[in-house]
Amino acid sequence: MNFDPRFSGRNFTSVGTRPIRPDGVDKVTGRARYGADFNMAGQLVGRILRSPHAHAVIKKIDTSKAEKLAGVKAVITAADLPDLTDGDAAMYDILDNCMARKKALYDGHAVAAVAAIDARTARQALKLIEVEYEVLPHVTDVDEAMKHSAPLINDAIFTEGLEEKPVKPSNVSKRTQYGHGDVHQGFAQADMIVERSFKTEQTHQGYIEPHACVASVNADGTAELWVCTQGHFVYRQHCAQLLGLEASKLRVTSSEIGGGFGGKTHVWAEPVALALSRKAGRPVKLVMTRDEVFRASGPTSATSIDVKIGAKKDGTITAAEATLRYSCGPYAGMWAEIGAMTAFACYKLENVKTVGYEVLVNRPKTAAYRAPSAPMAAFAVESAVDELAKEIGMDPVEFRIKNAAQEGTRASYGPVYGPIGIGPTLEAVKNHPHMKAPLKANQGRGMACGFWFNFGGQTCTDLNIGMDGSVSLAVGTVDVGGSRASLSLVAAEELGIDYSHVKAIVADTSSLGYNDMTDGSRGTFSSSMATISAARNAIKVLRERAAQMWDISVDDVAWEAGHAVAKGEKHGNLGKLSLKEIAAQSGKTGGPIAGHSELVADGAGVSFATHICDIEVDPETGSTRVIRYTVVQDAGKAVHPTYVEGQYQGGAAQGIGWALNEEYIYGKDGRLQNPGFLDYRIPVCSDLPMIDTQILEIPNPNHPYGVRGVGETSIVPPLAAIANAVSNAVGVRMTHIPMSPPRILAALEAEREG
């Protein structure tokens, strides 16, 4: 059946309501099973030995003593994970990150692993493994790593994207450039130019559940993996390739997920657990400690960004330019490229240029963190925009409204926008009571805009109707933010039945066709599209069965509000048939009734948000307190408004922690100094105000219900909104994130001395 994904205005009965979340009771009562809650008969405990050095050649590994320890069933090194990547550089990086081969490239890099009968024996075995290192100079700062004098991290990296092919290896893996027009000409037309440099420190996603899995490789070559992940199909693909398995022989089941935010889109320890199980011949359970999560799983990038923006006296921006340097750990990345694409996406610009540099450092392999790369770029750009508005003498909201992108605007990264929500969010902020509320002494107000692309991708869904009329919905996108409830609402809407009769599950990789990772805010967007398609296919079958029961042509059967209805005066004597009535007779009319859909969900629809923040700063201590926060964001269509509000609030809360407290702190030895929640401080309830939200709905023309992804955009504006608020409170432009008390005091002291 051909599926038309275009938006069609309609009135909703289920979509837009706020039913109780289906997973809530199990989660609050402890019955929900997360990664570490699964066990298999005869399982062993896996543990990983990690490098204590930021950069070192692995000269020799002696595992003989560990192998002789009673209770140890397997010890592996890189030799047990041979290179099967066939020249695929990205897969080789994943392999090398899972188990160091020639060099340890950061503090915490895995070098060996054991499987033993219990945790005590496993820990003892790790101590018996002898590793001989040749310690090398290291570099952990993004700016220092770009210098010619910096230690070379990977001699196979030659900078891509340069006009001339380089002949020497470099710590810069790639240069990318976006933009249009002539920035030199644009700056010449400007009456006022603001030019500043900004830095952001590396942060972790801060998910509460550590990485955990149970792996079992059988003698016949089949294998199972239970894992906390954002994409079990991708994990199957990567693990199968790294271990030389056929993908169809590796069954991956995703557990409940205790937070991911992009950090669980990469394999870290799973191939190691599978390799241990293969060698030991028994299942292996491997759970990272919190120390390991911080030291060895992917944080976001640290950045160094230069921004230059010019405008006329009337507030028209004439040119905008940014150079963005993003750390990507010791492997090639794409993080600066994303930053360069998103930096000026909120604005209508005639002359714009962004250049991104991917920079290798001796830190863990960088991973996505909720709209990856965009928050740092927005911090720099929106700070400069605020400063430029002040220099011109315009209200910062009015300045942004004047320059905001709109339908038909050519984005700074290339495409031409369709209907978008940046203008409406700014108008809503302009008229919001928050913007008019009075401030007290030592308080400041800031606002900022944010953008995210949103993705679609490959999606597969099964919808099965039971003989009792209940509906089972099997999806392949991992539920990281309430998608099971939202997709159940969508199925109920299409079929015309009550939400309570729909049960959504996340199917394992052997039960459903391939689905892309749940990232890029694609979960509800793509799977709702596939659910609509599957439901419409099921309705086609329901109409056929009703026609059979009535002995009329299927062309004379319509589907309305959960019932088959015979059309035309000639069938006036036929009453309606409910879905339940048709399902009850399915065994006599052709068998089970189901709908299936596999599609590539294109046209995800870009997303925009504008945030307002009020903050109070103690000028004597530099301590800060967020006293009020408001999020205004375009959702396209809020399928489950409570979940949408939760996404808005969650992104803002994480942004508050990032802006004010969170950072990786490395010592001179290149080792992480704060690998735990005691010293890496994420916000707790007492640190946060009640976060107000306003949902706008500008329909996405490429989705039947107008849905846009909402999960990531909400983390983009906070760094800038809070920086603008702090800067306004203390009278000094803050350019370094996080704005911890020592940094605020240092900025005030520098201002006094200057």
Side-chain angles (χ1 to χ4, degrees):
M1 180 178 176
N2 291 330
F3 175 66
D4 184 357
R6 291 176 297 178
F7 172 69
S8 57
R10 59 183 291 174
N11 295 320
F12 295 101
T13 56
S14 294
V15 166
T17 61
R18 300 172 183 260
I20 295 173
R21 58 187 300 161
D23 55 340
V25 173
D26 283 353
K27 286 182 175 177
V28 299
T29 58
R31 294 176 62 188
R33 292 202 299 174
Y34 292 87
D37 293 329
F38 186 74
N39 296 288
M40 296 183 74
Q43 75 183 18
L44 303 170
V45 175
R47 287 289 186 271
I48 297 177
L49 181 67
R50 300 186 180 278
S51 168
H53 305 293
H55 195 196
V57 174
I58 302 170
K59 301 192 74 174
K60 182 181 178 182
I61 302 179
D62 185 350
T63 62
S64 58
K65 292 180 182 178
E67 290 167 344
K68 293 175 183 176
L69 181 66
V72 172
K73 302 301 180 181
V75 182
I76 67 168
T77 64
D80 297 282
L81 278 167
D83 181 10
L84 305 175
T85 60
D86 194 26
D88 185 331
M91 286 303 300
Y92 181 83
D93 287 350
I94 294 172
L95 175 67
D96 188 71
N97 188 55
C98 288
M99 188 66 69
R101 313 187 85 68
K102 299 176 182 177
K103 292 200 299 182
L105 297 172
Y106 56 90
D107 166 42
H109 199 167
V111 295
V114 302
I117 57 173
D118 55 36
R120 180 182 178 185
T121 304
R123 287 193 296 268
Q124 188 177 353
L126 291 185
K127 294 177 182 179
L128 295 175
I129 298 174
E130 298 175 358
V131 185
E132 182 181 344
Y133 294 101
E134 178 188 339
V135 179
L136 302 173
H138 64 271
V139 59
T140 58
D141 179 78
V142 64
D143 287 320
E144 291 297 319
M146 289 189 72
K147 294 180 178 178
H148 293 297
S149 58
L152 185 65
I153 295 172
N154 188 337
D155 58 12
I157 293 291
F158 292 79
T159 307
E160 298 178 13
L162 300 179
E163 291 184 4
E164 295 185 11
K165 188 175 181 179
V167 295
K168 292 183 178 180
S170 168
N171 287 337
V172 178
S173 66
K174 190 177 182 181
R175 177 192 184 275
T176 54
Q177 181 174 320
Y178 290 91
H180 54 258
D182 186 333
V183 291
H184 297 293
Q185 182 179 335
F187 285 122
Q189 297 169 355
D191 296 313
M192 186 67 65
I193 294 175
V194 166
E195 189 170 5
R196 277 199 182 271
S197 296
F198 301 86
K199 283 187 78 80
T200 69
E201 297 301 329
Q202 193 165 48
T203 54
H204 198 271
Q205 299 86 351
Y207 37 81
I208 303 304
E209 179 199 24
H211 298 271
C213 67
V214 178
S216 179
V217 180
N218 304 313
D220 62 359
T222 60
E224 294 182 69
L225 180 67
W226 166 279
V227 62
C228 55
T229 172
Q230 290 178 238
H232 48 318
F233 288 90
V234 175
Y235 273 41
R236 177 186 67 173
Q237 193 172 324
H238 287 176
C239 289
Q241 184 173 348
L242 294 180
L243 274 85
L245 302 171
E246 288 186 16
S248 63
K249 292 184 178 180
L250 174 58
R251 179 185 182 187
V252 182
T253 304
S254 63
S255 68
E256 291 287 352
I257 186 168
F261 315 111
K264 292 176 182 173
T265 59
H266 302 246
V267 295
W268 306 106
E270 295 78 14
V272 174
L274 285 163
L276 284 169
S277 175
R278 181 168 61 185
K279 192 167 186 176
R282 288 168 62 177
V284 173
K285 184 173 185 175
L286 202 162
V287 181
M288 279 190 178
T289 65
R290 184 64 57 189
D291 178 276
E292 288 180 297
V293 169
F294 275 102
R295 291 172 61 214
S297 69
T300 189
S301 300
T303 74
S304 172
I305 303 172
D306 303 325
V307 174
K308 181 179 180 181
I309 308 177
K312 294 180 179 179
K313 292 178 182 178
D314 68 356
T316 303
I317 296 177
T318 60
E321 186 174 15
T323 302
L324 308 97
R325 297 166 290 272
Y326 280 57
S327 67
C328 50
Y331 305 102
M334 59 178 183
W335 310 109
E337 181 173 7
I338 299 174
M341 294 172 75
T342 62
F344 294 108
C346 291
Y347 299 106
K348 177 176 60 179
L349 303 170
E350 295 295 327
N351 306 292
V352 57
K353 177 183 177 183
T354 57
V355 178
Y357 294 95
E358 316 290 347
V359 186
L360 273 63
V361 293
N362 293 116
R363 296 190 181 208
K365 186 179 190 292
T366 297
Y369 180 12
R370 203 170 190 163
S373 304
M376 304 84 116
F379 160 60
V381 168
E382 290 292 301
S383 295
V385 166
D386 229 53
E387 190 170 1
L388 185 55
K390 184 177 181 180
E391 292 289 339
I392 290 174
M394 282 187 71
D395 175 83
V397 180
E398 294 289 357
F399 183 70
R400 288 174 171 85
I401 289 173
K402 183 177 182 65
N403 293 285
Q406 54 195 257
E407 185 173 358
T409 294
R410 182 184 178 191
S412 56
Y413 63 97
V416 174
Y417 290 137
I420 56 173
I422 180 63
T425 67
L426 283 165
E427 291 290 346
V429 161
K430 176 183 175 181
N431 297 313
H432 199 283
H434 186 166
M435 289 299 289
K436 302 174 178 64
L439 294 170
K440 298 178 181 178
N442 299 320
Q443 294 180 352
R445 174 170 297 140
M447 53 81 56
C449 301
F451 159 89
W452 185 242
F453 309 96
N454 292 333
F455 304 141
Q458 300 178 77
T459 313
C460 184
T461 298
D462 272 337
L463 186 150
N464 294 279
I465 300 175
M467 293 185 70
D468 62 354
S470 63
V471 174
S472 299
L473 182 66
V475 301
T477 45
V478 175
D479 184 354
V480 299
S483 61
R484 280 170 294 187
S486 298
L487 298 175
S488 295
L489 284 169
V490 169
E493 186 73 48
E494 281 295 316
L495 295 171
I497 62 176
D498 190 79
Y499 164 84
S500 62
H501 298 316
V502 183
K503 172 68 173 179
I505 64 163
V506 180
D508 65 61
T509 58
S510 295
S511 304
L512 198 64
Y514 180 84
N515 281 259
D516 281 330
M517 186 76 65
T518 302
D519 61 2
S521 299
R522 67 172 296 271
T524 297
F525 167 78
S526 61
S527 278
S528 66
M529 191 179 290
T531 298
I532 293 168
S533 174
R536 291 178 182 177
N537 288 335
I539 288 170
K540 181 176 182 292
V541 178
L542 287 164
R543 289 175 52 240
E544 291 170 349
R545 300 299 177 84
Q548 186 177 341
M549 292 167 69
W550 280 328
D551 193 22
I552 65 175
S553 170
V554 70
D555 294 335
D556 291 338
V557 181
W559 190 260
E560 298 175 0
H563 293 77
V565 179
K567 298 186 295 183
E569 293 182 3
K570 61 182 177 180
H571 302 310
N573 62 326
L574 297 176
K576 297 179 180 179
L577 283 174
S578 69
L579 180 147
K580 186 174 183 179
E581 290 171 323
I582 299 170
Q585 299 298 315
S586 59
K588 301 175 182 178
T589 60
I593 300 173
H596 180 79
S597 176
E598 60 280 315
L599 49 78
V600 176
D602 291 325
V606 296
S607 176
F608 293 90
T610 303
H611 291 198
I612 317 167
C613 173
D614 291 355
I615 201 160
E616 185 172 271
V617 183
D618 185 329
E620 294 184 359
T621 65
S623 67
T624 54
R625 182 171 67 94
V626 179
I627 54 178
R628 187 171 182 180
Y629 202 100
T630 300
V631 176
V632 181
Q633 185 174 323
D634 170 26
K637 176 62 187 177
V639 177
H640 192 307
T642 301
Y643 277 118
V644 172
E645 290 164 350
Q647 291 293 326
Y648 291 4
Q649 293 163 335
Q654 288 179 312
I656 289 170
W658 191 343
L660 297 176
N661 294 304
E662 298 178 39
E663 64 176 310
Y664 269 37
I665 299 172
Y666 279 86
K668 293 182 179 179
D669 58 359
R671 302 199 68 186
L672 184 62
Q673 302 296 300
N674 59 333
F677 284 137
L678 181 63
D679 296 313
Y680 181 96
R681 191 173 179 279
I682 63 174
V684 296
C685 289
S686 58
D687 296 313
L688 300 170
M690 293 299 293
I691 298 171
D692 192 15
T693 61
Q694 183 175 347
I695 299 173
L696 302 185
E697 294 186 327
I698 293 88
N700 174 11
N702 301 307
H703 187 282
Y705 294 177
V707 169
R708 299 178 192 268
V710 300
E712 294 177 282
T713 312
S714 53
I715 203 173
V716 181
L719 276 61
I722 297 166
N724 288 334
V726 172
S727 298
N728 290 333
V730 301
V732 179
R733 173 53 55 185
M734 301 301 298
T735 60
H736 197 160
I737 294 287
M739 294 169 289
S740 56
R743 286 206 179 99
I744 291 175
L745 290 177
L748 290 171
E749 182 65 24
E751 181 73 8
R752 283 193 292 268
E753 292 178 355

